Amino acid sequence: MSKYFLASLNSFFIVFFAYFVFLSIISWQESMELLDTGGLNIDIGSYLYLPLGAYAFCWVIYKKWSLPGQLLISILMSFYWKLDSSIFALFAIINVFGPVMAVSIFRVLEVYKFKDFKSETTLAILFLCIVLALLNSLSKFFVYFMTENKITSAFDFLATYLPGDIVGSFVFIIFATFMMKIFHLGQY
């Protein structure tokens, strides 16, 4: 029982760390007025959404034992962002189970023999991040569309979500894999 609790707790803190860094970067950019969006509404998405990579990373490393910790942090972050009740639960489910579906699709398609991050190439991780981003971005777009929440435009929404999900998940997964190799953590 303690092995499962520890995996869930580790997942919680890994995703919490990703959210903390993500929010710190956004706060720093806003305070330094470094954010030039070129007319895009940056409030919709971010160009460096690290938590998506953290969710996928935890799923690959801890498998199903990571789900309780990931679901808890996703619910807490939904409270933090004050999401309205029509999208609250859906976003929490998409955050947790979107990466599960993406990794499963990636494995089923057998584009690469994907088992863990230790044996994967950068290209395989990038392709996984693209699948993650597509699932996450399109799922959240349809949630907004179906619940009739305000979206400035489909282009603005997808133009901020897709690059942010791809870049953020790629950066987080590469960073986390690098740190695990350096410190000989887990199965490395």
Side-chain angles (χ1 to χ4, degrees), residues 77-94:
M77 290 311 295
S78 293
F79 280 124
Y80 174 78
W81 280 314
K82 300 175 185 161
L83 296 178
D84 64 6
S85 60
S86 63
I87 63 172
F88 181 87
L90 294 173
F91 268 37
I93 290 169
I94 290 169

Side-chain angles (χ1 to χ4, degrees), residues 117-156:
F117 293 117
K118 177 174 79 171
S119 60
E120 296 310 317
T121 64
T122 305
L123 185 60
I125 293 171
L126 179 62
F127 186 66
L128 174 64
C129 293
I130 291 170
V131 172
L132 279 167
L134 284 172
L135 275 173
N136 187 58
S137 300
L138 293 176
S139 299
K140 289 184 179 178
F141 176 74
F142 285 122
V143 166
Y144 272 118
F145 180 74
M146 298 300 275
T147 58
E148 298 177 4
N149 279 301
K150 298 175 188 171
I151 297 180
T152 56
S153 77
F155 176 77
D156 287 350

Side-chain angles (χ1 to χ4, degrees), residues 60-78:
V60 171
I61 299 296
Y62 299 115
K63 307 208 181 354
K64 64 184 175 190
W65 301 295
S66 67
L67 293 178
Q70 290 181 4
L71 193 58
L72 178 62
I73 191 68
S74 184
I75 290 170
L76 291 174
M77 290 311 295
S78 293

Side-chain angles (χ1 to χ4, degrees), residues 5-109:
F5 177 75
L6 190 58
S8 183
L9 188 64
N10 285 343
S11 296
F12 176 87
F13 283 115
I14 288 170
V15 176
F16 176 80
F17 172 75
Y19 274 115
F20 176 77
V21 172
F22 164 68
L23 293 172
S24 298
I25 290 171
I26 295 298
S27 171
W28 174 73
Q29 287 175 331
E30 289 173 351
S31 69
M32 299 295 289
E33 298 178 1
L34 296 175
L35 206 55
D36 181 20
T37 62
L40 297 175
N41 184 358
I42 198 68
D43 294 332
I44 296 173
S46 166
Y47 287 113
L48 187 65
Y49 189 65
L50 298 171
L52 183 61
Y55 285 115
F57 183 80
C58 290
W59 172 252
V60 171
I61 299 296
Y62 299 115
K63 307 208 181 354
K64 64 184 175 190
W65 301 295
S66 67
L67 293 178
Q70 290 181 4
L71 193 58
L72 178 62
I73 191 68
S74 184
I75 290 170
L76 291 174
M77 290 311 295
S78 293
F79 280 124
Y80 174 78
W81 280 314
K82 300 175 185 161
L83 296 178
D84 64 6
S85 60
S86 63
I87 63 172
F88 181 87
L90 294 173
F91 268 37
I93 290 169
I94 290 169
N95 284 338
V96 175
F97 292 105
V100 171
M101 287 177 38
V103 170
S104 300
I105 288 170
F106 194 72
R107 287 178 176 163
V108 168
L109 291 178

